[in-house]
Amino acid sequence: MKRKPIFISLFMLSTLICFAQQQSLITGIVFTNDYLPAEGANIVLLSATDSAFITGTAANKNGNFQLKEIPKGLYYVQVSMLGYQKNSCKANVLAGKSFMLDTIYLQPEAIGLNTIVVTAKKPAIQIEADKTTINMEATIVNTGGNAFSVLETLPGVYINSNGAVSLNGKNGTKVLIDGKPAYLQGEELVSFLKSTPATSLDKIELITNPSARYDASGNSGLINIRTKKTRIMGFNLGITSNFMQGKYEKSNHSVSFNHRKGKFNLFGMYGYYSGRNYVDLQVIREFEEENPSEQTTFNQLSYRKRNEDSHYYKGGIHYFASSKTTFELALNGYTSNQAESGSLNSNFINHIGKRDSSIKSSTINDNMRNNISGTIGLIHKIDSTGKEFSLSADYLHHAVDNDQYHNDLFLYTSQNEVMAESAGTKKGTIDLFSMRSDFTYPVNEKLLLESGIKSEYVNIDNTSDYKNSEQQEWEPDYGLSSHFIYKENINALYFNSRIARYKFVLEAGLRIENTNIKGQLPGNRLQADSSFSKSYINLFPSVTLSYQAGKNHSLNLSYRRRIDRPNYQDMNPFVYIFDTYTYEQGNTTLQPQFSDNLELSYLLANNYKVAVFYNQTNDVIAKSFILSENSKRVYVMPKNLATYRSCGIRLSAGNLSPVKYMQSTASIGLTHNQYEWSLIQDANKTAQTTLMFHVGNRFLLGKGWLAELTGYYNGRMAMGQMKIASFGQLTAGIQKKLWNDRASISLYSNDLFHTNRVNMTTRIGNSTAHTFEKEDHCILGISFTWKFSKGFESKEFKRKGEAFDTKRINL
C-alpha cells in the first residue's frame, strides 16, 4: 500500500518533466530604423489560428526579449512602441526546441515628408521669465537675406555696421551660435553674419538672465542663434537663392544637406555672400577757443564703397553609438575678402565762415580673413530621468591680412600744396583651444543639480608695419609700427541647482573663473620693449526666485553678476588711420568691466511679460575720443570709463490675434542710460532715457499666400561719450508657397523709407562733433527656397555647452 503513493508521485513528476521538455523558448531582438535598441518595446505572442493572446513581455535596454514556456504551435509575434509602426512575424515553434526570430526593425510612425500636411505652426514669439524666443519659420522676410538682416529686425536688438550689439538699450551683449560664442567681433562679426543665410536659422533666443552654465561674459545678456538641425532619416537637400538691390546689389546663396542612415548622420552646408555697400559720412567738429576769433569748424565729407565676397561652410558627422550615447565631429570655416576704397574732403572754416585750409584724402583697404574651427563632442544619457554627461573639445584658428594705402593732399590759403602718403600692412593670427565637461543630475522631480568645468587657451601674434613716402622713397614709420604677442588662459568651474517647493522655484548658481594673461610688445628704434601680466579669480553668483501664483501667473526676481573682458582688437595697440585728423588704436592697459544685474518680472500665460530692471557696470569699456593738445587730431581709443548705470521697464506680448487672419507681436520699453567718466582733459557724464518699441504683423491670406509688416523705433540713446539720435525702420514682405510647401518664393523690402540712419553727437574736450552716417539698408529683395526630403522623422541630436569667448576676436 505504501508503494502506491510513491508510484503516483513518480508518475506525476515524470509527466511534469515530460511536459516541460515539450515547452519551447522564443528569443529575439528589436531595433529602431536607425539601428538603436528599441528599449521598452511591447512584445505580444498571439495564436495564429484565432489571434488569442498567449503571453507578452518588453524589450530590455539592449533590445533583447524572451518568451518562455511556449507550447508547440504556430504563432504571430507582434511588436509595438509609441511613435513607431507595428511590426509582426511568424514563429513555428517545435516541441522542446528554442526558436530565434530574425532581427525586428521598427519604422517611425510618420508620413513621408513629400506628402506631409502642416496643420499647426510654431508661435512667432515664445516669452519666458529668462528669455524670449523668436521662431524663424513663423516669419517671411527673414526667409530671405542673412543672419545680420534678421538681427536688425528683432525686438530690442541694435547692431551697427561696426558690430556693436546692444539688447533692450543696454550695451555688452554677447552673440552665441548654437550655444557657443560667435566666431567674430566687430566688423568681422558683421561679415560672418552676412555670409550666413537666414534659411539656416531655426530660432533666436534673447536671454536676459543666463544661468551659471553659460560663460560669465555679456553684461546685458545673450543672443543665441540656433541653426536648423535636421531630424530626418534618409537624404535631404535644401537650396536657397536670394538677390537684393539697394543702391548696390547683394546676394546670398546656400546649399545644405544631410544623409542619415543607421547609426550615422552626415551633414554639410555651403553659403556664399557677395555684396556691395557704401558708407556716406559727414563729420562736423566745432572747436571752442577762449578767443572767439580763433574758433574753427572742421567739416569732413567722406564716401567709402565696400565690396565683399565671403564663403561659409560647415560639415560633420554624428555617430549614434547607442540610444544613450552620441558622438559628434564637425568642421566650420569662413573666409572673406573685403575691398574698401574711399575719398575724404575736409575743410577748416574760420569764425567768419571762410575756408582756412582743406585736405583731400583717399584710402584703399584690402582685408583678407580666414577662420576655421573644429569640434569633437560626446553626449551620454545615463538614464531616462535626465541624468546626462557631455564632453567637448574645440579648436579655432583665425588669420587676417590687411593692406592699407592712404594719401593726403593739403591745400592752404597761400595756394601751397603738400602731399603726404602712407602705407600699412597688418598680419595676425589667433589660436584658441577649449575643453569643457558638463554633468546634469536630477535628484527627483523637485531638485535638479548641474555642474561643469572648462579650460580655454588663447595665443595671439600680430604685426603692424607702417611706412611713409619721403622723396619718392618708402621709409619705415617706427612710431606707428608695432608687434603684439598675447597669451591668455581662462579656467572655469560652475555649480547650479533648481529647487521646487510648494509654489516657489529657486534656481541658484555660482561660477568661478580664473584668468591668467601675459602680453609682450617687442620694441623698435623708437619704442622700447614692454610686457605685462595679470592673474585674477572672480566669483559670479546667479539667483532666480519664482512664485507661481496660479496656472498662468508667475512672479520672478533674479540677480546676475557678469564680466566683459576687452576684445583682442581693443587691447591691440595697432593704429588705424582714417585721415590725418582721425586715428584709432587699441589700449593694452584695459581692465575687464563687471556688472550687477537685477530684474523683477511678471509673466502671464507665457505670453505677456512686464519687467523692471537695474544694471550697474564698473570700469565700463567704451570708445573714448581724445583731442591731441598740439593739434586738432582726434584719437579714438577704448578706455575704462568710471561707471555705467541702466534701468527701465519692458512690456511684451508674444502672440496676439486681432482678427482671424492676422497674428501680431508687440513690445515696448523705456531705458535710462547714464555714463560717468573722467579723462585728463574731460570730466563729464551723459544720460538719456530711450523709448523703444517693436510691432510685427503676419497675415494669413490663404492658398499658400502670406504677408508680413514689421517695424521698430529706437529713440535717442546714450552710449559712452556719444548720444545717438533716434532711428527705426519698416519692413514688409509677401510669400507664396509652391509644390506642396516644398518650395517658396518671397518678395520683401527692408527699411522701406530709409530711416535706419546713425546720427550722433560727441563731446570731445573743448570740441563737439556731429556725425551723420548713411548705409545701404533700403533694399528690395527676392528669395527662392527649395527642399528635397525623402525620409522619416527621428530623434534630434542636441549639442550643449559653449566653447570659447570668440566674441572678443577682431584683429
Side-chain angles (χ1 to χ4, degrees):
M1 295 296 296
K2 293 182 179 179
R3 293 181 179 178
K4 187 174 182 179
I6 296 174
F7 175 78
I8 294 174
S9 299
L10 291 174
F11 176 77
M12 293 179 64
L13 180 61
S14 62
T15 301
L16 289 173
I17 293 173
C18 182
F19 180 77
Q21 289 177 345
Q22 301 302 312
Q23 305 297 299
S24 299
L25 179 71
I26 298 178
T27 62
I29 184 169
V30 185
F31 283 116
T32 61
N33 63 315
D34 48 2
Y35 299 97
L36 298 179
E39 181 181 2
N42 294 314
I43 316 298
V44 176
L45 185 66
L46 304 175
S47 171
T49 56
D50 57 4
S51 298
F53 174 80
I54 306 298
T55 187
T57 187
N60 65 15
K61 65 179 181 179
N62 297 318
N64 297 313
F65 67 88
Q66 290 184 347
L67 298 170
K68 301 178 180 179
E69 299 180 359
I70 308 301
K72 175 184 175 182
L74 185 62
Y75 301 94
Y76 283 108
V77 178
Q78 190 177 88
V79 183
S80 63
M81 191 167 73
L82 184 64
Y84 291 85
Q85 300 174 19
K86 289 182 179 180
N87 197 354
S88 61
C89 58
K90 289 183 179 181
N92 188 8
V93 178
L94 302 177
K97 293 186 178 181
S98 297
F99 187 89
M100 180 176 290
L101 298 166
D102 292 336
T103 302
I104 300 172
Y105 293 96
L106 297 180
Q107 296 294 332
E109 194 172 28
I111 302 174
L113 292 181
N114 54 350
T115 59
I116 208 165
V117 177
V118 178
T119 59
K121 288 285 185 179
K122 291 182 180 179
I125 292 183
Q126 296 170 280
I127 297 178
E128 300 174 64
D130 59 340
K131 66 182 178 182
T132 298
T133 302
I134 294 91
N135 293 304
M136 292 295 101
E137 72 173 30
T139 65
I140 298 172
V141 176
N142 293 334
T143 59
N146 49 59
F148 180 76
S149 63
V150 169
L151 286 180
E152 285 188 308
T153 65
L154 298 185
V157 176
Y158 168 61
I159 176 169
N160 65 17
S161 59
N162 295 321
V165 184
S166 66
L167 179 61
N168 297 319
K170 298 188 295 181
N171 296 326
T173 303
K174 182 178 179 181
V175 177
L176 309 180
I177 307 291
D178 290 325
K180 298 184 178 183
Y183 291 107
L184 307 167
Q185 193 270 340
E187 292 185 1
E188 297 179 356
L189 172 63
V190 173
S191 296
F192 169 74
L193 293 174
K194 286 182 177 180
S195 71
T196 306
T199 50
S200 68
L201 308 183
D202 178 38
K203 58 187 177 182
I204 298 179
E205 299 168 337
L206 309 179
I207 306 173
T208 54
N209 294 303
S211 69
R213 187 184 185 101
Y214 292 96
D215 283 352
S217 57
N219 79 52
S220 68
L222 310 174
I223 298 176
N224 188 19
I225 302 174
R226 294 283 184 185
T227 58
K228 290 180 179 178
K229 300 292 188 301
T230 182
R231 299 183 300 173
I232 313 301
M233 296 295 295
F235 180 75
N236 308 276
L237 178 70
I239 297 175
T240 299
S241 190
N242 176 48
F243 295 90
M244 297 167 284
Q245 183 67 53
K247 184 173 182 178
Y248 300 108
E249 73 285 353
K250 305 172 181 65
S251 64
N252 277 92
H253 311 280
S254 69
V255 57
S256 61
F257 78 94
N258 94 288
H259 182 66
R260 184 168 177 179
K261 183 178 181 180
K263 295 187 176 183
F264 293 92
N265 179 41
L266 182 67
F267 61 92
M269 193 198 87
Y270 168 74
Y272 171 67
Y273 170 79
S274 178
R276 312 292 177 259
N277 197 4
Y278 72 91
V279 178
D280 192 351
L281 179 67
Q282 180 181 18
V283 179
I284 300 175
R285 297 176 190 162
E286 299 172 344
F287 298 91
E288 301 174 3
E289 304 291 347
E290 294 182 2
N291 186 351
S293 64
E294 296 178 357
Q295 291 185 0
T296 58
T297 299
F298 178 69
N299 188 0
Q300 180 186 77
L301 298 172
S302 66
Y303 186 89
R304 302 195 302 274
K305 184 177 179 181
R306 293 172 177 170
N307 299 333
E308 181 174 358
D309 294 283
S310 59
H311 305 263
Y312 172 69
Y313 54 90
K314 68 177 181 180
I317 188 169
H318 294 147
Y319 173 63
F320 304 93
S322 70
S323 60
K324 295 181 177 180
T325 305
T326 304
F327 295 90
E328 178 192 26
L329 176 64
L331 183 71
N332 294 269
Y334 162 73
T335 61
S336 173
N337 183 10
Q338 185 182 89
E340 179 181 278
S341 60
S343 61
L344 300 90
N345 293 309
S346 306
N347 296 303
F348 282 98
I349 303 172
N350 60 26
H351 68 288
I352 59 174
K354 290 187 177 182
R355 189 183 71 179
D356 181 73
S357 60
S358 64
I359 307 171
K360 291 184 177 181
S361 306
S362 64
T363 303
I364 298 175
N365 276 300
D366 288 317
N367 197 341
M368 291 286 296
R369 305 178 180 98
N370 188 16
N371 190 92
I372 188 169
S373 65
T375 183
I376 300 175
L378 160 70
I379 292 180
H380 177 66
K381 297 179 180 180
I382 299 172
D383 59 26
S384 60
T385 65
K387 297 183 181 69
E388 186 174 278
F389 170 79
S390 64
L391 180 68
S392 66
D394 297 83
Y395 173 74
L396 180 145
H397 174 78
H398 179 71
V400 63
D401 188 347
N402 177 266
D403 292 319
Q404 181 189 65
Y405 170 78
H406 181 83
N407 73 62
D408 292 309
L409 178 62
F410 297 87
L411 302 174
Y412 298 98
T413 53
S414 59
Q415 302 301 317
N416 292 332
E417 294 184 356
V418 177
M419 173 70 78
E421 294 180 280
S422 66
T425 300
K426 302 174 187 177
K427 294 184 178 181
T429 58
I430 298 179
D431 292 283
L432 300 98
F433 177 74
S434 173
M435 290 191 67
R436 70 171 294 149
S437 176
D438 299 278
F439 180 62
T440 302
Y441 189 89
V443 179
N444 51 49
E445 293 181 356
K446 297 182 178 181
L447 177 60
L448 172 69
L449 301 177
E450 291 180 307
S451 65
I453 189 170
K454 174 183 174 182
S455 189
E456 170 184 310
Y457 297 88
V458 181
N459 186 28
I460 301 175
D461 192 343
N462 297 340
T463 59
S464 175
D465 293 315
Y466 273 98
K467 52 189 177 182
N468 298 316
S469 178
E470 302 288 346
Q471 298 179 350
Q472 297 183 346
E473 295 289 338
W474 289 101
E475 298 292 337
D477 187 335
Y478 296 105
L480 295 180
S481 301
S482 62
H483 186 190
F484 180 54
I485 301 173
Y486 180 86
K487 298 180 184 296
E488 181 181 83
N489 165 232
I490 301 175
N491 305 295
L493 175 68
Y494 78 87
F495 303 94
N496 199 57
S497 63
R498 188 176 185 271
I499 305 171
R501 187 169 179 83
Y502 303 114
K503 294 184 178 182
F504 291 92
V505 178
L506 175 65
E507 183 173 354
L510 178 66
R511 190 176 185 92
I512 307 168
E513 293 191 350
N514 163 243
T515 305
N516 305 283
I517 294 173
K518 290 184 179 180
Q520 183 181 358
L521 296 169
N524 53 42
R525 295 182 184 179
L526 297 182
Q527 301 181 44
D529 292 352
S530 63
S531 62
F532 59 92
S533 62
K534 303 172 188 176
S535 182
Y536 50 88
I537 297 176
N538 300 110
L539 303 179
F540 302 97
S542 60
V543 181
T544 297
L545 178 63
S546 300
Y547 174 70
Q548 305 297 320
K551 181 180 179 180
N552 295 320
H553 305 269
S554 67
L555 194 64
N556 310 279
L557 178 64
S558 64
Y559 165 77
R560 300 284 186 275
R561 181 164 175 80
R562 310 288 291 172
I563 185 176
D564 273 313
R565 298 177 180 88
N567 67 54
Y568 306 130
Q569 184 191 37
D570 286 345
M571 292 185 294
N572 196 328
F574 289 6
V575 175
Y576 181 87
I577 302 175
F578 288 94
D579 59 63
T580 301
Y581 292 95
T582 310
Y583 280 21
E584 182 171 0
Q585 69 180 109
N587 181 1
T588 59
T589 65
L590 283 176
Q591 302 293 325
Q593 64 182 33
F594 296 89
S595 64
D596 296 280
N597 303 270
L598 190 66
E599 180 176 291
L600 176 65
S601 65
Y602 166 70
L603 193 62
L604 173 62
N606 286 333
N607 192 59
Y608 306 93
K609 180 180 177 180
V610 179
V612 292
F613 59 88
Y614 175 79
N615 163 278
Q616 177 167 320
T617 305
N618 297 319
D619 296 324
V620 61
I621 301 171
K623 283 190 175 182
S624 300
F625 300 84
I626 304 170
L627 185 64
S628 173
E629 295 181 359
N630 301 323
S631 68
K632 291 181 170 57
R633 178 179 296 165
V634 171
Y635 287 88
V636 183
M637 178 183 292
K639 282 185 172 291
N640 290 104
L641 302 185
T643 305
Y644 162 55
R645 296 183 181 90
S646 178
C647 61
I649 183 172
R650 296 192 306 272
L651 296 89
S652 305
N655 297 281
L656 305 171
S657 185
V659 293
K660 184 178 180 180
Y661 59 85
M662 181 178 177
Q663 298 173 351
S664 300
T665 62
S667 66
I668 186 170
L670 276 175
T671 301
H672 180 78
N673 289 330
Q674 179 175 305
Y675 292 83
E676 297 178 358
W677 70 90
S678 180
L679 301 175
I680 296 176
Q681 60 181 357
D682 195 8
N684 212 329
K685 70 177 182 180
T686 57
Q688 186 67 49
T689 300
T690 305
L691 171 66
M692 295 170 289
F693 66 81
H694 179 280
V695 178
N697 300 290
R698 189 167 185 255
F699 305 92
L700 311 177
L701 306 179
K703 296 184 178 180
W705 286 94
L706 301 170
E708 188 174 271
L709 184 65
T710 301
Y712 74 86
Y713 171 81
N714 199 110
R716 187 173 173 85
M717 179 169 57
M719 187 177 292
Q721 290 175 267
M722 303 175 289
K723 278 197 174 182
I724 301 175
S726 59
F727 61 93
Q729 75 175 38
L730 188 66
T731 300
I734 188 167
Q735 182 184 86
K736 178 67 170 73
K737 292 187 177 297
L738 307 169
W739 309 330
N740 293 326
D741 290 350
R742 292 196 302 270
S744 67
I745 186 168
S746 304
L747 183 67
Y748 60 94
S749 178
N750 288 340
D751 195 12
L752 278 169
F753 303 107
H754 209 175
T755 51
N756 190 352
R757 302 183 182 185
V758 178
N759 300 327
M760 61 186 183
T761 301
T762 308
R763 182 70 182 177
I764 311 172
N766 67 335
S767 70
T768 302
H770 305 278
T771 304
F772 308 93
E773 184 176 358
K774 291 190 299 184
E775 290 190 67
D776 205 6
H777 291 287
C778 183
I779 59 172
L780 179 67
I782 185 169
S783 175
F784 175 77
T785 63
W786 176 75
K787 297 178 182 179
F788 170 80
S789 297
K790 186 175 182 180
F792 298 91
E793 290 287 334
S794 184
K795 294 183 179 180
E796 177 182 7
F797 173 73
K798 185 179 181 181
R799 292 193 297 178
K800 290 193 174 183
E802 308 134 61
F804 27 71
D805 189 5
T806 44
K807 174 184 84 74
R808 302 165 61 204
I809 296 179
N810 191 343
L811 301 182

